[in-house]
Amino acid sequence: MSEAAQSPDSTAGGTVDAVPPAGYEEWLVEVTTRVRATQVRIARIANAGTIGLYRSIGLDILDRQERLGWGAKVIRRLSADLTREFPDQRGWSPSNLNYMRMFAKRWPSDDISQQLAEQLPWGHIMALLDKTDDTDELTWYAREAVAGGWSRDVLRFQITNDLRARAGAAPSNFTATLAPADSDLAQQLTKDPYVFEIATLTGRVKERDLEQALMDRLESTLLELGRGMALVGRQVRLSVDGVDRYIDLLLFHTEQFRYVVIELKVTDFEPEYLGQLGTYVTMVDDLIRKKDVHAPTVGLLLCTGKREATVRYALASTAAAVAVAQWQGLPADARGALPSVEELEGVVRAEFAHQTALLHGHVEPADNDAAPGEDEGL
């Protein structure tokens, strides 16, 4: 009889020892880690193969239309023939074949751009083709989507709200308060304006409730969209001289290894706001930051409006490393004007209603990573 046949736990129907042998748990962790890594690697290889196939089909369509004069009807014929040949596979609709053609025509052909494409799901590539206007914009958002692990909804949100123009754009005094290399890194953490995906209604709520609801949305938005940001706490208490002071939001950037102090105001910018923020930045630097490990703390003040000259003078008079950005919560056709108090109050009511519905099971949470439709993959 073989050794495998003699072992009580060597077959599917055999018994399993109640107590595993010494070192088994550690070995199990190692094996499961290898299995998961292999699954991820296989999925990436499969995705890269699909993207490469779609590009080759798109190139074929382009070539035959341009060189042989084939018309648009060939796409419908090809769709019908491929669907008949591969009935169990998705992705052969006329719409998807047109996207393959557009992919071959618009996506840059250099090696780096092709590697980016192979790391993105097909649904992301379709969104990039739909929502970008030129090659530079397409490549920028593709690179950010890969680096940030964005869902398709986040990708669409960032393009619609022009993240490329907003990234690193907040006025700051970083060049005067930080070392040159560190100044550049800190500036990359900022945007201007910040755009939060909120509705506009009308109604009356208390100011404190307004600020709380805005802080809830700010927290979730920054954590979702701010690559490398980790939440340290909300309303973080700092006690100095027997007086308690509270930071609206304290984040830690895991890539730059620095604390980021965020203060939210539901009014236009005033110079005294920077004094308060600068004090909090200095306190965090002294009481929380480990100076031999962490990069210098920076602060970000978010206001509903700001006058550029006033901001510039206030920044010049502040010793702490701080930036000022505007935040917006209006739909695209209303972003030319600052939000009114009534509109901000409506934001809170809408958010409260949504959270209440979620709590009672009346609304299903959005699923950003739902299974692809018939036009999104093999």
Side-chain angles (χ1 to χ4, degrees):
M1 183 179 294
S2 69
E3 180 180 351
Q6 293 174 351
S7 176
D9 60 351
S10 62
T11 65
T15 61
V16 178
D17 292 339
V19 180
Y24 175 82
E25 297 293 345
E26 293 80 1
W27 177 65
L28 177 61
V29 170
E30 178 189 337
V31 171
T32 54
T33 299
R34 290 207 308 266
V35 170
R36 291 192 178 100
T38 300
Q39 290 173 334
V40 170
R41 187 162 58 250
I42 291 171
R44 286 176 176 169
I45 292 172
N47 183 75
T50 298
I51 299 304
L53 172 64
Y54 283 1
R55 182 172 182 270
S56 70
I57 293 173
L59 287 170
D60 284 349
I61 294 171
L62 273 177
D63 174 65
R64 282 155 176 77
Q65 286 182 332
E66 295 174 357
R67 184 168 54 85
L68 303 177
W70 290 3
K73 290 183 178 180
V74 71
I75 290 180
R76 289 198 171 276
R77 178 180 292 274
L78 180 62
S79 170
D81 289 339
L82 289 176
T83 300
R84 184 176 59 256
E85 188 73 22
F86 305 103
D88 297 328
Q89 292 182 356
R90 298 172 297 187
W92 307 125
S93 69
S95 172
N96 213 43
L97 290 171
N98 272 310
Y99 272 112
M100 295 178 202
R101 181 185 183 280
M102 192 189 313
F103 177 42
K105 185 175 183 178
R106 286 197 53 206
W107 201 275
S109 58
D110 61 278
D111 290 343
I112 294 177
S113 297
Q114 292 305 310
Q115 290 170 10
L116 280 176
E118 291 174 357
Q119 296 177 72
L120 289 168
W122 181 240
H124 286 55
I125 291 175
M126 290 193 295
L128 285 163
L129 295 172
D130 279 337
K131 291 186 169 296
T132 59
D133 296 324
D134 57 54
T135 299
D136 289 343
E137 184 183 25
L138 184 152
T139 304
W140 191 91
Y141 281 107
R143 185 170 59 249
E144 292 299 309
V146 169
W150 290 348
S151 69
R152 198 185 338 158
D153 284 347
V154 170
L155 172 62
R156 287 170 174 160
F157 178 84
Q158 299 288 35
I159 298 174
T160 299
N161 292 291
D162 202 13
L163 175 64
R164 187 185 179 203
R166 296 185 292 115
S172 74
N173 63 357
F174 294 158
T175 56
T177 56
L178 300 172
D182 202 32
S183 169
D184 293 341
L185 288 173
Q187 190 66 44
Q188 292 172 18
L189 298 180
T190 72
K191 303 181 184 72
D192 191 31
Y194 283 79
V195 180
F196 303 119
E197 201 172 15
I198 48 184
T200 55
L201 301 172
T202 59
R204 299 292 302 173
V205 294
K206 294 179 181 178
E207 183 177 354
R208 185 60 206 158
D209 292 337
L210 168 64
E211 294 177 355
Q212 182 63 40
L214 290 173
M215 284 305 304
D216 290 342
R217 177 51 65 91
L218 172 62
E219 174 191 338
S220 64
T221 303
L222 286 182
L223 289 178
E224 179 182 3
L225 304 183
R227 189 174 80 230
M229 290 290 193
L231 175 65
V232 177
R234 286 175 43 192
Q235 294 299 309
V236 176
R237 183 178 67 181
L238 299 174
S239 296
V240 178
D241 293 332
V243 178
D244 290 340
R245 293 176 173 82
Y246 295 87
I247 297 172
D248 283 344
L249 198 65
L250 182 61
L251 303 178
F252 187 80
H253 197 274
T254 58
E255 295 176 4
Q256 297 192 17
F257 228 51
R258 75 167 82 243
Y259 287 101
V260 181
V261 179
I262 294 182
E263 284 293 298
L264 173 70
K265 301 298 180 182
V266 294
T267 61
D268 288 1
F269 172 82
E270 293 294 343
E272 54 264 31
Y273 296 158
L274 276 190
Q276 179 189 43
L277 176 60
T279 299
Y280 291 165
V281 169
T282 303
M283 286 180 174
V284 169
D285 238 22
D286 188 55
L287 301 176
I288 299 178
R289 174 195 171 210
K290 295 181 180 179
K291 296 180 175 59
D292 57 336
V293 176
H294 299 150
T297 305
V298 298
L300 175 62
L301 177 67
L302 298 180
C303 300
T304 54
K306 56 186 174 65
R307 294 175 292 277
E308 298 301 326
T310 303
V311 169
R312 188 168 63 252
Y313 286 126
L315 286 170
S317 64
T318 303
V322 291
V324 179
Q326 183 175 324
W327 70 268
Q328 298 176 344
L330 298 176
D333 58 357
R335 285 194 183 127
L338 295 176
S340 67
V341 174
E342 289 76 15
E343 288 165 331
L344 290 175
E345 290 168 348
V347 166
V348 178
R349 286 193 176 275
E351 182 65 13
F352 283 168
H354 179 68
Q355 293 300 327
T356 300
L358 282 176
L359 182 63
H360 291 89
H362 300 318
V363 176
E364 291 293 330
D367 183 1
N368 289 338
D369 297 308
E374 66 174 358
D375 289 345
E376 293 186 13
L378 293 175

